[in-house]
Amino acid sequence: RRRRQVERLGDSFDGELKAAVQRAQRRYGLNPTGTVASQTLAALDAQATKMLRVFAAKGYKRVEPPVLQPADVFLDRSGEEIRRRTFVFDDPTGRELCLRPELTIPVCRMALQTGTRLPARLAYHGPAFRFQTSDPDRPNQFFQTGVECLGLANRDTADKEVLALAIKAVRAAGL
């Protein structure tokens, strides 16, 4: 029963989030090149600040993983859709790197690498990069704001917490 409640909450959130993104794109005139006017950037920063305040009020600590990430983590673990759209290159030593296509994996990697004690509640905001082959109206660079709730004993509780928090944050940002 709890699983169904969490799934319904997730479905509701997906719909709200998609509508919020579309409203933000219309409101701020985001374009496929990723070019953002300074007033638009200021508005996006204000929205992110409001969301991060909601996260902080619930005990989520802000982290910022590096933009450059080892490519293998994304290429081996992500679905084909993200793999095709990841910006991958070799550094001068021959190591394969990528521009992070999303922030969940980098946040989790950072928590593991730094020995973060669990359970951990982590928040983030920053740029992510995906090559947009099929939708020319979507920018290759975009901002992702969110949370990761790591190591809670009860996954349903963690899912419910994160979904409810995301809805509250999106509403606080006026989306």
Side-chain angles (χ1 to χ4, degrees):
R1 181 173 173 225
R2 283 176 131 317
R3 175 59 71 186
R4 284 192 305 267
Q5 289 173 330
V6 169
E7 287 172 358
R8 280 196 305 270
L9 186 58
D11 291 343
S12 171
F13 174 70
D14 285 345
E16 283 192 42
L17 184 59
K18 184 175 183 179
V21 168
Q22 289 170 346
R23 282 193 304 273
Q25 287 174 332
R26 282 192 308 273
R27 182 184 300 164
Y28 299 116
L30 298 179
N31 63 53
T33 65
T35 306
V36 181
S38 60
Q39 68 188 44
T40 299
L41 189 57
L44 292 171
D45 284 344
Q47 288 177 332
T49 298
K50 290 174 184 176
M51 295 175 80
L52 290 166
R53 282 188 189 136
V54 169
F55 301 154
K58 294 295 184 180
Y60 283 76
K61 177 185 166 192
R62 176 129 188 230
V63 296
E64 189 162 337
V67 171
L68 294 178
Q69 293 285 316
D72 62 337
V73 174
F74 295 96
L75 301 179
D76 294 344
R77 305 259 188 273
S78 296
E80 185 60 33
E81 179 65 19
I82 289 182
R83 291 179 67 197
R84 279 196 336 250
R85 296 170 40 206
T86 300
F87 290 95
V88 180
F89 55 93
D90 292 336
D91 74 4
T93 68
R95 195 171 50 149
E96 196 173 44
L97 299 173
C98 70
L99 297 174
R100 63 185 182 204
E102 53 90 19
L103 276 87
T104 297
I105 290 174
V107 167
C108 294
R109 279 186 74 247
M110 194 166 92
L112 288 171
Q113 290 174 336
T114 60
T116 300
R117 294 184 62 155
L118 300 179
R121 289 174 169 82
L122 306 174
Y124 52 84
H125 170 73
F129 307 85
R130 290 188 196 156
F131 183 65
Q132 304 296 344
T133 56
S134 61
D135 188 352
D137 294 330
R138 293 181 71 185
N140 290 323
Q141 177 179 330
F142 55 93
F143 293 100
Q144 183 178 343
T145 306
V147 296
E148 302 300 331
C149 186
L150 306 175
L152 248 54
N154 186 320
R155 280 191 194 177
D156 287 345
T157 299
D159 287 348
K160 185 176 178 182
E161 177 181 316
V162 167
L163 289 170
L165 187 59
I167 291 169
K168 186 174 182 179
V170 167
R171 287 180 178 157
L175 300 171

